[in-house]
Amino acid sequence: AQRVAGFGTMIWDVEAFKGELSPHCQELFGIPGIAEIDGAKSIYGPHPLLDRVVPEERKAVFKWAQRLTSRARDIKQHHLSGQAEGGVGDCAIERCNHCQHAADCDRMLEFRMIGRSPGEANRMIRVLAETSLDENLGRVIAFITVQDITPEIAAANEAEALRLRDQRRLRELEELAVERSEEHTSEL
């Protein structure tokens, strides 16, 4: 079902520092057969997921994961101190869960991943995290949706190229109309 819908999921247990990846999420990340991963302790050590991110974006992905983990811990602390989720507390993730523009929010990140096989182009991935306290487990869990947005980016780039081409053609037609008008005027 996830493959048809075009996304995968990862359930991140903040306290255990482990993530459980759906089969399609494994495929999207280019790590088939790895259903569970530990969190990366550094951007420099080997890590099955972080190693798949293009090198120039690994630091941003690592920092996003650190912020997500920190804010998720804030949720638990707020819960333990008696503040209800979505209350008046200062927890940044609570405010973030209510923001209108997910792209401006720490819940979402877009980054490039190395192609899954030799010769495959890099892919653009979008992750979106929803963090909550699982009352049954007493643990903070982040539900992360993973989507390959490469086709979406390619379509947007193509649309922009067509828009620029149409603008150029319109300018050329306007210039041609001015030239013809001036020629017609000089003939009279």
Side-chain angles (χ1 to χ4, degrees):
Q2 288 185 5
R3 181 173 282 113
V4 172
F7 69 90
T9 56
M10 176 168 52
I11 298 172
W12 180 251
D13 184 329
V14 173
E15 293 168 64
F17 207 55
K18 289 186 182 298
E20 189 177 307
L21 287 69
S22 71
H24 191 56
C25 184
Q26 296 169 39
E27 185 180 313
L28 289 171
F29 283 148
I31 53 174
I34 300 178
E36 186 175 287
I37 60 170
D38 290 327
K41 299 195 182 346
S42 162
I43 60 172
Y44 304 108
H47 187 267
L49 179 55
L50 206 51
D51 291 348
R52 304 289 309 149
V53 175
V54 295
E56 56 272 16
E57 294 185 15
R58 287 180 187 154
K59 186 174 184 178
V61 172
F62 183 75
K63 287 188 176 290
W64 178 83
Q66 284 181 314
R67 285 191 309 272
L68 177 67
T69 300
S70 174
R71 289 191 177 120
R73 288 184 179 135
D74 286 348
I75 287 176
K76 184 161 187 180
Q77 185 60 40
H78 281 241
H79 178 76
L80 293 174
S81 68
Q83 291 179 323
E85 188 174 339
V88 188
D90 291 336
C91 182
I93 199 95
E94 290 171 4
R95 287 191 309 273
C96 190
N97 283 337
H98 296 86
C99 69
Q100 295 177 347
H101 305 287
D104 299 330
C105 177
D106 277 343
R107 295 184 316 132
M108 187 177 87
L109 181 68
E110 294 177 355
F111 56 93
R112 291 175 295 144
M113 298 222 40
I114 297 168
R116 291 172 282 209
S117 60
E120 182 185 36
N122 291 341
R123 293 166 296 115
M124 193 69 165
I125 299 292
R126 175 183 295 143
V127 292
L128 181 63
E130 291 291 335
T131 308
S132 64
L133 180 68
D134 184 318
E135 295 289 339
N136 296 326
L137 298 174
R139 298 173 86 84
V140 179
I141 303 294
F143 183 81
I144 302 171
T145 304
V146 180
Q147 183 179 19
D148 183 348
I149 59 168
T150 306
E152 182 181 318
I153 299 294
N157 289 341
E158 184 177 342
E160 178 64 10
L162 290 171
R163 186 186 69 75
L164 292 172
R165 184 197 70 189
D166 288 348
Q167 283 181 341
R168 187 184 74 246
R169 286 183 177 172
L170 182 59
R171 279 192 307 273
E172 290 170 355
L173 287 172
E174 288 170 347
E175 290 170 3
L176 183 59
V178 168
E179 284 178 25
R180 298 268 168 112
S181 175
E182 289 173 355
E183 288 175 6
H184 182 70
T185 305
S186 67
E187 290 177 1
L188 296 175

